[in-house]
Amino acid sequence: NNAYTGNNTVTAGYAMWKTKITSHLKMVAGARYEKTDLEVISGDENIDIEERTGAINQGDVLPVVNLIYATGEKSNFRAAYSKTLARPNMREIAPFVSYDPLTASFIIGNTDLKRTLVGNYDLRWEWFMNPGEIVAVSAYYKDFTDPISSRYLPSSNTEIKFINVDRAKVYGIELEFRKSLQFLSPRFKNLKFSSNLSLINSDVDVVKTSPYEPETRPFEGQAPYIVNAALLYDNSINNVAATLSLNYIGDRLRFLGQDGAPDIYDRARGQLDFNLQKKFGQIGLSLTAQNLLNSDFVISSDYKGKEYLYSRFKAGTSYSLGVSYSFR
């Protein structure tokens, strides 16, 4: 009874048209048709077949329009609209109950789940200073219809069920910069700096089970900001390449608070990684070091300015050495 079987078939076709409207303006437009045939059946034969079957049989037309305007020889302005979709996975739509030890909750699938439609609006300005170098600013807005979320059920046990809510939205800006450091000194000709910053806001409608719950909450796992930076070294003459990369990500919703209790978040943390590669003819050596900062992984909630710890641990720093041989 605690098993299910399922199959998912997607049949799709795509048409695209590219044209130059003026000497500076190009357009790429098209549409994709997707036919979804998703069916999941519970193994519990004591339940009527209709009640133990979750299915989506639907076709969708997904248009896209992309306008590119050349603001200079090395710069572009882009505006785009597209429609995309997201399907529930089999566990979410299956009439199936599983136990999650991390939340001490029973997770319940929902056979009535719908697929999610997403309208995507994007603006971007980009400047290619030199080959491999870029400065870019992007803004985007995503409008979700029938997004999949979760909610606690009124029960003596702790039960969480997947549901569709009416609306959700995500919007933000992204700054991207990639530049060779040769302008500082000829000695730095093999060094390149790359970075990007994303500032993101997300709001998902909440089906309230308590008057203390908010009207909206962020998408689960969506951070309000993400920072990436990397220093790259590439010497093709000596066959040496190295990367030192930093990733810093903001607080992300991990678990929903029950009966109006504060939601629980993965707290912001940074990670520093290093990778070195060297080739000796057909032999390649690589050295990788991950999580050099070894920052704490913290999961907690806030209530009236006080933090309540759910979990705290260190993953440790890992090192690996690799050897490869290329046959020619």
Side-chain angles (χ1 to χ4, degrees), residues 101-127:
L102 290 177
T103 59
S105 306
F106 292 94
I107 310 298
I108 303 173
N110 183 357
T111 59
D112 295 325
L113 282 181
K114 307 172 186 176
R115 55 91 178 94
T116 302
L117 286 177
V118 189
N120 308 279
Y121 305 84
D122 298 272
L123 296 174
R124 176 179 172 90
W125 175 81
E126 55 195 13
W127 174 33

Side-chain angles (χ1 to χ4, degrees), residues 63-88:
V64 58
V65 178
N66 193 340
L67 297 172
I68 306 106
Y69 183 80
T71 55
E73 292 184 1
K74 297 182 178 181
S75 61
N76 294 316
F77 179 79
R78 298 175 180 267
Y81 167 78
S82 65
K83 182 173 283 188
T84 54
L85 62 82
R87 305 174 185 85

Side-chain angles (χ1 to χ4, degrees), residues 242-284:
T243 303
L244 181 67
S245 59
L246 173 69
N247 168 261
Y248 196 88
I249 188 167
D251 294 350
R252 291 153 291 156
L253 177 62
R254 179 69 175 266
F255 307 127
L256 304 183
Q258 188 175 7
D259 297 327
D263 293 334
I264 300 170
Y265 284 79
D266 284 304
R267 295 306 178 185
R269 72 178 299 273
Q271 179 159 324
L272 184 67
D273 300 326
F274 176 74
N275 178 262
L276 174 65
Q277 295 178 330
K278 168 67 176 175
K279 287 186 177 181
F280 300 91
Q282 294 171 256
I283 299 175

Side-chain angles (χ1 to χ4, degrees), residues 7-20:
N7 64 80
N8 182 25
T9 301
V10 177
T11 307
Y14 183 79
M16 186 181 75
W17 176 49
K18 181 178 180 180
T19 184
K20 196 168 186 178

Side-chain angles (χ1 to χ4, degrees), residues 224-235:
Y225 60 87
I226 301 171
V227 180
N228 292 294
L231 191 63
L232 304 100
Y233 177 81
D234 188 0
N235 189 326

Side-chain angles (χ1 to χ4, degrees), residues 279 281-284 323-328:
K279 287 186 177 181
Q282 294 171 256
I283 299 175
V323 180
S324 64
Y325 184 85
S326 300
F327 295 93
R328 296 177 182 173

